Amino acid sequence: MLCPPPAAPRTPASALTFKPKAPPYSPSGSLPVENMDTSFADLIQEITRECKNRCIEASSDFVAFLVSLVSLSSTYRADDGEDETSNETKILASVIEKLLDQSGPSLATLKLQFHFAKHYRDRESIIKKHRTKLASKTSPLVKEICEVNKLENAREIERLYQKMLVVITLLSGLGNPTIPTILREVAIALQSVLQPSELPRYVTLSKREKEEQLTELVFIVAGIRLFNRDCQRGGEGIDDLPSILQAGMNRTRLSIIQLLELLMEKVYKFTAGVEAAIQSHFYNDCEDGPEFKDILWSIEMLVATRQQEIYVRKLLSDLEICEEEIRSLINRLQNRLIQLHETVKYRTAIPTTQVYPQFIEIAEIWLKLQDEVIVLSYINDMLWQLQSLFPKSLSPHHQSVLERMLQEVEVLTDAERLEQTMGKLIVECGECSLAYPSNDTNFDKINLQFLGFCAWSFVVGKGALIPGNPNIGVAEWAGKCFAFSSVDAARQFGKCPDRFLYAALDIVRERQEYIHLFQLYNDIQIMNRQERLSGEYMPLKIRQDQEVQTEMHVFPTFVDKNYASSLWLHRQRALHLASICQCVTKSTQTSKSHFRTGICLQTSMPKEKEVQTRKDGSTNTKKMKKYIFGLRGRDNNVELIDCAYNK
């Protein structure tokens, strides 16, 4: 490689207020028309010929893009009893009908999506493509230099030296080698590194070593020239890239901001008009409101402006990355030049090991600045093409339709719309699980379906894009997360989430501009493939809420006590009845049968009786005490006297 590797792109910063959360674009997966079979290729050619006959401008790639989207619809899927040819005829008629409506917003959206999917590239791809193109243009001359193995005379040495000067000037991008002053300055810088007398030793090296040394010479010579330019002792043909880039960034940012302001003004108007029309048409059944086709046109215009907004914001994020990279490179260049000035200050001879690495680093920084020029030019080119693909003004009829829809309607910005629902939380959403910013640490990383637009409004409004507010809560159902514009919208969605998901999928299939807007092409294609392999088509479930008034207990209630639901019990009863039918009852009079007579007995019932008992009485008894008589003065004549007394 004769050029340094490109700088790695950085992650763009998140935008303020509501912004559709579009997933990253993959150009290789956005145009899946290369693997079509022969029947689709013939269909594309037939549609292209029909467009030419009707004077419709449509490239074969764009026709293939439309066919790939239209074929995803369940309407154009071939049934078992239907011929494939009739299905292709339906697709052809649908594509032709869409191409005939050149002024329709739906076709404008599809053109935007096709152009962006085909031409948009990330920073790394843009830089790599530019460097590869530059290397391919100089590769014949580089190959010619590296294939020289012997120099016989001074003329050949001079010719090889001139070729090296041209290659070094072209690869460094510092001037035009056809201008003598520039080539002379390059020769002076190269002579300080490689003398013509050293070329015979250079040609004896291997081809790989020659390429490596030539690449090193490109950076060293470029660094010397840039240093001389900073010292104001050279720099012929070298542009002031830092000043050019800063001025270009300011102009590009101003252009993007102006275009974005115009787009957002349209977006706010169409959003307010569509929301008001949906409420009047579906809720109040207002007959004085705009017609349904005007509502559909407004929805298509809203989708088109939102799609353009997403692309413009994508370019704005790329510009912010470019600005950050340019700012960093300019600071690095200034610091390196200051350090190099300190190195060579007041010195007449300097070792090459001290200055050559600094020259190489200066050249690498300058080449990265050149890469930023390419990226900035690409952003401006994409911005101009996006403006040219979308109409700037509305027709008088459509302008009147929009004004009629905005009568007595307050036009709110996305930020004002989010503020209306701040402070509220979704607490009821059926069986869906809820997540809130306060209790989920990874809330910002949640991938919202429909780019963050209200899922319920999308279905009820037949594709209307009403911004959702994730701050009031996010509902999760079937592994997917949904945002809503209001608490009531979440409650309505929670009543039957499957119904709304099926209805949303049906809208996306039938309206091709939603497929790339929501980046659902691969998902729908995989699902169709699974349905085709299984041989079963899963029909959409159509449900509706109905109320029926009934009388309570119209007929008198009857409960059969002998009813049983067990089959075995019925079989047991049947067997019992069958055995009874075969039984016979007989009676016989015997001699002792007259003893069997009835006997009557009279009994008396027990009664409760009371009995008078005797009274309790008590008597006092005498208390017996013993006294010893004659103790004093008498030795053996002791007497015990018992006495009793009443207490």
Side-chain angles (χ1 to χ4, degrees):
M1 294 295 294
L2 299 177
C3 56
R10 302 182 182 179
T11 306
S14 59
L16 299 177
T17 68
F18 174 82
K19 184 182 73 172
K21 295 185 178 180
Y25 292 94
S26 176
S28 59
S30 299
L31 297 174
V33 296
E34 299 177 355
N35 300 326
M36 286 188 174
D37 52 10
T38 308
S39 60
F40 271 96
D42 297 338
L43 179 61
I44 292 170
Q45 293 180 359
E46 186 176 356
I47 295 175
T48 306
R49 288 194 300 268
E50 188 68 22
C51 291
K52 290 182 179 179
N53 297 333
R54 301 191 182 190
C55 299
I56 301 174
E57 295 183 1
S59 62
S60 58
D61 291 339
F62 183 61
V63 172
F65 177 74
L66 289 180
V67 171
S68 65
L69 296 180
V70 173
S71 59
L72 296 177
S73 175
S74 58
T75 307
Y76 308 109
R77 178 179 296 148
D79 298 331
D80 296 336
E82 188 177 0
D83 189 10
E84 185 70 24
T85 306
S86 61
N87 185 41
E88 294 180 359
T89 305
K90 293 180 181 179
I91 296 177
L92 186 146
S94 177
V95 174
I96 293 296
E97 181 182 0
K98 187 169 288 292
L99 289 173
L100 287 174
D101 189 13
Q102 290 291 322
S103 61
S106 176
L107 184 62
T109 306
L110 292 172
K111 288 182 178 179
L112 281 173
Q113 294 171 350
F114 171 75
H115 179 82
F116 201 82
K118 184 177 182 180
H119 297 93
Y120 177 78
R121 299 291 181 270
D122 55 4
R123 286 173 47 85
E124 185 177 356
S125 301
I126 297 169
I127 296 172
K128 183 178 180 180
K129 181 180 179 181
H130 170 69
R131 288 298 169 186
T132 304
K133 186 177 180 180
L134 181 60
S136 63
K137 290 183 178 180
T138 57
S139 59
L141 192 55
V142 173
K143 183 178 180 182
E144 188 176 347
I145 293 173
C146 296
E147 287 179 351
V148 177
N149 296 323
K150 185 178 180 181
L151 297 175
E152 297 180 353
N153 48 43
R155 185 175 180 181
E156 292 183 357
I157 293 176
E158 181 66 22
R159 186 181 303 170
L160 180 61
Y161 203 76
Q162 291 295 326
K163 292 179 181 178
M164 294 178 67
L165 292 177
V166 174
V167 170
I168 290 173
T169 307
L170 290 175
L171 292 179
S172 63
L174 301 178
N176 188 355
T178 59
I179 300 177
T181 56
I182 295 177
L183 200 61
R184 190 181 306 112
E185 184 178 337
V186 176
I188 295 172
L190 181 60
Q191 288 176 5
S192 63
V193 182
L194 179 68
Q195 294 289 335
S197 59
E198 299 178 8
L199 289 181
R201 186 187 61 83
Y202 172 80
V203 297
T204 59
L205 301 175
S206 63
K207 184 177 180 180
R208 181 178 179 182
E209 292 176 344
K210 290 178 184 178
E211 292 180 352
E212 292 177 354
Q213 286 200 10
L214 186 59
T215 303
E216 188 176 1
L217 288 174
V218 170
F219 287 106
I220 294 175
V221 172
I224 293 173
R225 293 187 63 197
L226 291 170
F227 178 71
N228 292 335
R229 174 183 175 275
D230 190 66
C231 297
Q232 298 181 358
R233 291 182 298 181
E236 183 70 24
I238 300 178
D239 298 325
D240 188 6
L241 284 186
S243 301
I244 294 174
L245 285 172
Q246 289 179 350
M249 285 190 306
N250 294 333
R251 287 194 295 267
T252 305
R253 174 175 283 277
L254 181 61
S255 300
I256 293 179
I257 294 299
Q258 290 177 352
L259 177 59
L260 198 56
E261 288 177 353
L262 295 176
L263 281 176
M264 296 313 297
E265 183 180 357
K266 293 181 181 179
V267 165
Y268 299 150
K269 290 182 179 180
F270 281 113
T271 303
V274 168
E275 188 175 19
I278 290 174
Q279 293 177 356
S280 63
H281 185 78
F282 291 99
Y283 297 156
N284 302 328
D285 196 15
C286 181
E287 298 179 356
D288 298 333
E291 298 179 357
F292 187 71
K293 62 178 182 180
D294 293 335
I295 298 178
L296 292 181
W297 172 84
S298 302
I299 293 175
E300 292 178 356
M301 283 296 299
L302 178 59
V303 173
T305 50
R306 281 293 188 184
Q307 182 68 87
Q308 193 176 16
E309 177 204 351
I310 292 174
Y311 291 155
V312 173
R313 288 189 184 275
K314 181 65 176 175
L315 296 179
L316 181 60
S317 65
D318 293 343
L319 180 64
E320 291 174 353
I321 299 174
C322 187
E323 288 179 347
E324 185 179 355
E325 189 70 21
I326 290 171
R327 194 179 300 111
S328 175
L329 291 174
I330 292 176
N331 292 333
R332 286 180 55 193
L333 179 63
Q334 292 175 352
N335 295 333
R336 178 52 62 186
L337 288 174
I338 291 174
Q339 185 176 356
L340 185 57
H341 279 292
E342 293 294 333
T343 303
V344 302
K345 189 176 182 180
Y346 307 123
R347 300 178 66 178
T348 56
I350 307 171
T352 57
T353 56
Q354 295 183 9
V355 293
Y356 280 2
Q358 298 189 45
F359 287 145
I360 293 175
E361 186 176 355
I362 291 174
E364 290 177 350
I365 295 173
W366 195 266
L367 287 178
K368 291 180 180 179
L369 288 175
Q370 293 177 352
D371 295 338
E372 298 303 322
V373 173
I374 302 301
V375 175
L376 189 60
S377 176
Y378 172 81
I379 292 175
N380 280 280
D381 184 52
M382 286 292 296
L383 184 64
W384 179 83
Q385 292 178 5
L386 289 179
Q387 291 179 357
S388 62
L389 289 173
F390 195 78
K392 297 182 180 180
S393 59
L394 301 176
S395 63
H397 170 68
H398 290 150
Q399 186 67 32
S400 63
V401 169
L402 181 60
E403 292 176 356
R404 184 176 57 184
M405 294 176 64
L406 293 177
Q407 289 180 355
E408 300 179 357
V409 175
E410 183 182 3
V411 179
L412 300 176
T413 64
D414 288 341
E416 295 172 348
R417 193 179 296 275
L418 295 179
E419 289 179 358
Q420 285 187 340
T421 54
M422 292 300 291
K424 302 178 181 179
L425 290 178
I426 299 174
V427 294
E428 181 183 354
C429 193
E431 298 180 359
C432 301
S433 59
L434 299 174
Y436 303 100
S438 58
N439 58 9
D440 194 344
T441 56
N442 297 324
F443 188 80
D444 294 336
K445 299 180 181 179
I446 294 178
N447 184 20
L448 297 176
Q449 299 296 313
F450 308 117
L451 308 184
F453 292 103
C454 180
W456 179 80
S457 300
F458 179 77
V459 175
V460 175
K462 307 297 181 182
L465 302 181
I466 307 300
N469 186 3
N471 295 323
I472 64 176
V474 172
E476 182 180 356
W477 178 259
K480 301 180 184 297
C481 298
F482 304 91
F484 302 96
S485 59
S486 64
V487 177
D488 183 66
R491 183 169 57 254
Q492 296 294 334
F493 180 86
K495 291 181 178 179
C496 188
D498 289 331
R499 168 197 168 193
F500 286 100
L501 288 179
Y502 284 129
L505 179 61
D506 189 35
I507 293 174
V508 172
R509 282 178 171 179
E510 301 302 325
R511 309 270 289 277
Q512 290 77 27
E513 59 269 21
Y514 290 105
I515 297 177
H516 277 271
L517 175 65
F518 298 143
Q519 295 291 294
L520 294 176
Y521 183 90
N522 293 331
D523 297 338
I524 296 179
Q525 192 179 36
I526 292 173
M527 184 177 59
N528 289 344
R529 188 182 299 114
Q530 292 175 351
E531 293 174 357
R532 194 178 300 110
L533 292 176
S534 63
E536 297 179 357
Y537 171 62
M538 179 179 60
L540 298 177
K541 297 180 180 180
I542 301 176
R543 302 177 182 176
Q544 60 182 2
D545 298 331
Q546 291 183 349
E547 296 181 358
V548 179
Q549 183 70 27
T550 59
E551 297 182 6
M552 184 176 296
H553 305 306
V554 180
F555 298 100
T557 59
F558 173 75
V559 179
D560 188 3
K561 297 181 179 181
N562 296 324
Y563 174 77
S565 60
S566 175
L567 179 62
W568 295 101
L569 184 58
H570 286 287
R571 293 182 62 183
Q572 183 180 3
R573 291 178 179 177
L575 292 173
H576 180 65
L577 292 175
S579 62
I580 289 176
C581 292
Q582 298 177 358
C583 297
V584 177
T585 303
K586 295 182 180 180
S587 62
T588 304
Q589 184 70 27
T590 62
S591 59
K592 294 184 179 182
S593 60
H594 65 280
F595 290 106
R596 299 179 181 178
T597 59
I599 299 176
C600 296
L601 297 177
Q602 186 175 0
T603 61
S604 59
M605 298 299 294
K607 297 181 180 179
E608 294 182 358
K609 295 183 178 180
E610 295 181 356
V611 179
Q612 183 70 29
T613 61
R614 63 183 179 86
K615 296 182 179 179
D616 293 336
S618 61
T619 58
N620 292 330
T621 61
K622 295 182 180 181
K623 187 177 181 180
M624 299 299 294
K625 286 188 177 184
K626 290 181 181 183
Y627 297 93
I628 299 176
F629 174 76
L631 291 178
R632 180 179 299 178
R634 298 179 68 175
D635 294 334
N636 296 321
N637 192 9
V638 178
E639 294 181 5
L640 293 175
I641 299 174
D642 295 331
C643 64
Y645 64 94
N646 294 328
K647 189 178 177 179

